[in-house]
Every structure is written in structure tokens, then in C-alpha cells.
């Protein structure tokens, strides 16, 4: 009798097993934990193919945006000095067409915003895979899991830093430029690895079964799905509607008219700075960067340096020189841009000739009265100086520049990022950069 008691299971040991099993079923690693009937390879495949096209476009336009800064020209332009081989794509940025940067950066930011609902839906759809056990069943499976973790982390990092930059909210440590640049390379490498593993399956699924067709061994589908409240097609329509709302409330900042007033998301939903010839968008006011009327008044001089030495010109003397006009937009890294504004002033090539370069002028280092900020100095290439539309602008749309638009003089160059169109110019140094 003693042996039978000793070998018989106790009530506590038998009851602990169901409790342990019930606990395991409540963990995210349990197949029945995720019960949405929307999840599945077909739903994820559609989102993945949209992201494949969209993120490839984001990467290409992002690299073009970085090249537009001509970071290999001069250290003042390069915000990622240790980029090494990652700078292989760099090339002299052209000045034509004059709307080139407006197009590429506008696409980069707008597509990035529009893809946010798609990205969130995609991450939601693959959440079960993040908790599957064992973590790796084979080397190929381990590679897929690593690429998935890097992909999720990189996507969140890139989209969050990009959206914060659009809103001019720099809550992250360090400079936006290197963080976003290196994060893009990490993310895109993981993206390519994951796409190489998953795109063939996604295409095969959509060719055979479509959204509603069966998929063998679909690890994303719940073995015990909850009653459906939304079909997969309805879920995709909801994601598309979210992207459409973001498109309407962001893309307008690159256009004139009613659509521009709907663009509440880029940046801060700020209103235009007044009306009249100077009534078009800016990022930073003169007061915000510490520019005072004492610095820009009658005591202001422009210093032009080159082989001819240091030459000083007052605003009145610059106005007495031959004046030229150019219709050019302002396009900013945050994704907003203006329509073509009529700028009038002295050609940079004419100032280069006065500095001692009458033929084929070289690049120029532009310095602002602004005492702090990443681009208070900027370098321009020789092709930018030689373009007849590149001006030291004194007027815009038939009126003197306002203080917020760079009075007494600013640079305006076709196809250049807005930060290279330096405001409140105090010095131009022509020569090899």
C-alpha cells in the first residue's frame, strides 16, 4: 500500500499540468494566441509587394537627395564624414532640370508618409513570426529571422526619424543626417535580404490563390480564428484609405492652390508667411537664427574673395551691377517646396569674374551672417556657379527680399536643396574647394 501511494500521482501534480498548458496557450508563441482571420500569407504578400516598390523608390530618392548636397565637395556640406564606401554613388549634382530636387525630395517624403499605414499593417500581419519557437530551425531560417528583426527595427527607426525631421522635431540624439543615412543602409540591406527570401513566395501566392485562396503551411493563419469582422479585401481597403488621407494632408505642400491648404502635416501645418511677393514658405525666420537689422542695414557689406583679393560691395553697389532674373523654386529636405518664384540679382559667374575668374569660374564657399546652424556655410560646385540662373538674389517677385527670405542678399541656385540657397550672405570665396 505504501508503494502504491508513493507511485500514485498527487492531485497537485495532475492539476499543475493543465495549468501549465493553459499558461503556454496564453503566450504569444502559442499558435492559437493570434486569432485574427485577416492574417495570412496572401494579405502579407500584397502589403509586401507594395512596400517592395515603395521602399525601393524611397531608397533611390534618398540617395539622390544626399547626392544633391554634394557632400564630397567640401567638409561643410558633408554631414556623414565617415561614410567610406557607402559614398560610391556620389556624382556632381546637375542644375537642370531646375525642378529636379523638388521632384526627387518631394517624392521621397510624400511616398514615405503615404507608406506609413502599409508599413504598420505589414508589421501587424507578421507579428506572430516574431514569437515563433524555436527561434531557428535551420541556418536559412535563422537568416530569415535576423533579417526580419533588422527589417522591423530599421523600418521603425527610418520612418520615425524621417517623420520627426519633417516636423522639425529633433528628439533623437545626434544629427539627423548621419542617423538617417546609416540607418537607411542597415534597413535596406535587411530589406533586400528579406525580399530575396520572401518575394518569390509572395508572387507565387498571388498568382495561384490570390487573397482568398488556400496557402499550404501558412504559419500566419490562426488555427482557431475569431469570427471575421472585416475581410482581407476590406482590410486592404482600410489601409489604402489611410494612405490616401496622408497623401492629401502632406502632398499639397509641393503645390499651389487649395491642395496646399489641406497639407496639415508638412511641416507643423504652418500657414504661409503673409501675402505679397514675399508670401511663400520658409523654415526659419531671421529672428529665430539671431539675425538683427543692425547686421543687415546700411552697415552690411558683401565680401567677395579670389585671386583679385578681398572686394567689398554694399547693397547699393550690387544693385548698380547688371541684374538678371530667374524663375526658380525653393525645395526643402522636409519635402515642401514652392512654385517658381522670380528672383533678381547678380549672377554668381559675374561675381566670380570680379574675384579673378573671368573664364570658367570654380566653385564657391558661401558664408552667412547666421552664427550657428548646420548650413551657415555651404559650398557650391563650379557647374552651379556657371549656370546663368545662379544668382546672388537681391529681390524676389519684383520686391526687395524680406528679412525672413534673406535680406540683404541670398543665393539661389537651380535644382539645389533649400539649405544650400544660403540666406543673409556675408561672404563669397571663389576657388578650389
Amino acid at each position: 500500500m505504501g508503494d502504491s501511494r508513493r507511485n500514485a500521482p498527487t492531485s497537485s501534480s495532475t492539476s499543475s499540468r493543465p495549468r501549465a498548458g493553459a499558461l503556454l496557450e496564453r503566450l504569444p508563441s502559442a499558435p492559437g494566441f493570434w486569432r485574427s482571420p485577416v492574417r495570412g500569407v496572401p494579405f502579407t504578400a500584397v502589403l509586401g509587394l507594395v512596400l517592395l516598390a515603395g521602399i525601393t523608390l524611397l531608397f533611390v530618392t534618398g540617395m539622390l537627395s544626399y547626392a544633391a548636397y554634394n557632400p564630397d565637395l567640401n567638409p561643410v556640406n558633408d554631414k556623414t564624414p565617415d561614410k567610406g564606401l557607402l559614398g560610391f554613388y556620389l556624382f556632381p549634382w546637375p542644375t537642370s532640370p531646375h525642378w529636379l530636387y523638388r521632384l526627387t525630395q518631394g517624392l521621397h517624403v510624400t511616398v514615405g508618409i503615404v507608406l506609413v499605414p502599409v508599413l504598420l499593417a505589414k508589421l501587424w500581419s507578421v507579428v506572430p513570426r516574431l514569437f515563433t519557437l524555436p527561434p531557428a530551425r535551420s541556418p536559412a531560417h535563422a537568416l530569415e529571422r535576423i533579417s526580419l528583426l533588422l527589417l522591423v527595427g530599421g523600418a521603425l527607426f527610418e520612418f520615425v526619424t524621417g517623420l520627426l525631421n519633417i516636423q522639425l522635431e529633433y528628439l533623437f540624439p545626434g544629427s539627423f543626417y548621419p542617423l538617417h543615412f546609416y540607418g537607411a543602409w542597415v534597413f535596406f540591406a535587411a530589406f533586400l535580404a528579406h525580399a530575396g527570401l520572401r518575394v518569390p513566395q509572395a508572387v507565387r501566392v498571388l498568382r495561384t490563390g490570390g487573397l482568398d485562396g488556400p496557402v499550404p503551411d501558412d504559419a500566419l493563419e490562426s488555427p482557431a480564428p475569431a469570427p471575421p469582422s472585416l475581410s482581407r479585401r476590406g482590410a486592404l481597403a482600410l489601409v489604402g484609405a489611410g494612405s490616401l488621407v496622408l497623401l492629401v494632408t502632406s502632398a499639397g505642400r509641393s503645390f499651389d492652390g487649395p491642395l496646399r491648404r489641406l497639407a496639415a502635416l508638412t511641416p507643423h501645418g504652418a500657414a504661409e508667411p503673409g501675402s505679397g511677393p514675399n508670401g511663400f514658405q520658409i523654415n526659419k525666420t531671421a529672428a529665430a537664427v539671431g539675425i538683427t537689422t543692425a547686421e543687415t542695414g546700411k552697415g552690411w557689406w558683401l565680401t567677395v574673395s579670389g585671386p583679385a583679393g578681398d572686394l567689398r560691395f554694399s547693397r547699393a553697389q550690387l544693385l548698380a551691377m547688371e541684374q538678371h532674373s530667374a524663375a526658380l523654386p525653393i525645395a526643402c529636405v522636409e519635402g515642401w517646396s514652392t512654385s517658381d518664384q522670380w528672383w533678381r540679382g547678380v549672377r554668381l559667374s559675374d561675381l566670380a569674374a570680379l574675384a579673378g575668374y573671368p573664364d570658367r569660374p570654380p566653385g564657391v564657399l558661401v558664408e552667412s551672417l547666421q552664427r550657428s546652424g548646420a548650413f551657415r556655410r555651404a559650398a557650391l560646385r563650379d557647374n552651379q556657379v556657371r549656370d546663368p540662373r545662379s544668382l546672388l538674389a537681391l529681390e524676389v517677385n519684383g520686391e526687395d527680399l524680406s528679412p525672413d527670405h534673406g535680406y540683404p542678399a541670398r543665393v539661389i541656385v537651380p535644382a539645389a536643396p533649400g539649405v544650400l540657397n544660403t540666406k543673409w550672405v556675408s561672404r563669397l570665396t571663389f576657388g578650389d574647394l
Side-chain angles (χ1 to χ4, degrees), residues 103 106 196 256 327 419:
L103 173 66
D256 293 329
V419 291

Side-chain angles (χ1 to χ4, degrees), residues 170-417:
Y170 300 107
L171 306 179
F172 38 81
S175 171
F176 165 76
Y177 294 97
L179 288 174
H180 204 66
F181 177 81
Y182 293 123
W185 278 107
V186 171
F187 167 63
F188 198 67
F191 178 75
L192 288 179
H194 192 74
L197 293 167
R198 285 294 173 182
V199 165
Q201 181 192 31
V203 173
R204 186 168 60 252
V205 166
L206 293 179
R207 281 180 175 176
T208 55
L211 274 178
D212 303 316
V215 179
D217 301 324
D218 187 350
L220 294 176
E221 285 195 358
S222 173
S229 58
L230 188 68
S231 68
R232 286 175 177 167
R233 295 180 188 276
L236 288 175
L238 184 63
V239 172
S243 292
L244 181 61
V245 170
L246 291 179
L247 175 66
V248 171
T249 54
S250 61
R253 280 289 173 186
S254 295
F255 301 95
D256 293 329
L259 189 60
R260 192 174 184 87
R261 290 191 289 272
L262 293 175
L265 297 183
T266 53
H268 294 308
E272 303 295 347
S275 59
N278 279 274
F280 54 95
Q281 188 167 339
I282 56 173
N283 259 5
K284 296 178 181 178
T285 65
V289 297
I291 301 296
T292 65
T293 54
E295 297 172 290
T296 59
K298 293 182 178 180
W300 175 85
W301 293 85
L302 172 71
T303 301
V304 177
S305 298
D310 287 350
L311 308 176
R312 298 179 71 196
F313 301 96
S314 66
R315 181 177 161 86
Q317 289 172 319
L318 291 170
L319 285 168
M321 296 179 185
E322 185 176 1
Q323 302 291 294
H324 299 271
S325 297
L328 300 172
I330 294 288
C332 200
V333 69
E334 289 88 16
W336 64 263
S337 61
T338 72
S339 59
D340 289 353
Q341 310 295 322
W342 276 100
W343 307 90
R344 186 169 176 80
V346 183
R347 283 176 175 165
L348 292 182
S349 57
D350 290 345
L351 292 170
L354 294 174
Y357 294 101
D359 300 313
R360 297 191 63 79
V364 62
L365 178 66
V366 185
E367 298 180 67
S368 173
L369 291 172
Q370 184 178 340
R371 286 175 289 278
S372 62
F375 288 95
R376 61 186 181 278
R377 298 192 302 157
L380 300 174
R381 286 191 183 275
D382 53 359
N383 66 309
Q384 293 174 311
V385 173
R386 294 169 190 169
D387 193 296
R389 296 167 295 179
S390 296
L391 305 175
L392 180 73
L394 307 171
E395 301 175 348
V396 63
N397 299 322
E399 187 177 273
D400 287 347
L401 295 170
S402 69
D404 291 340
H405 279 298
Y407 181 90
R410 70 171 297 164
V411 163
I412 186 73
V413 174

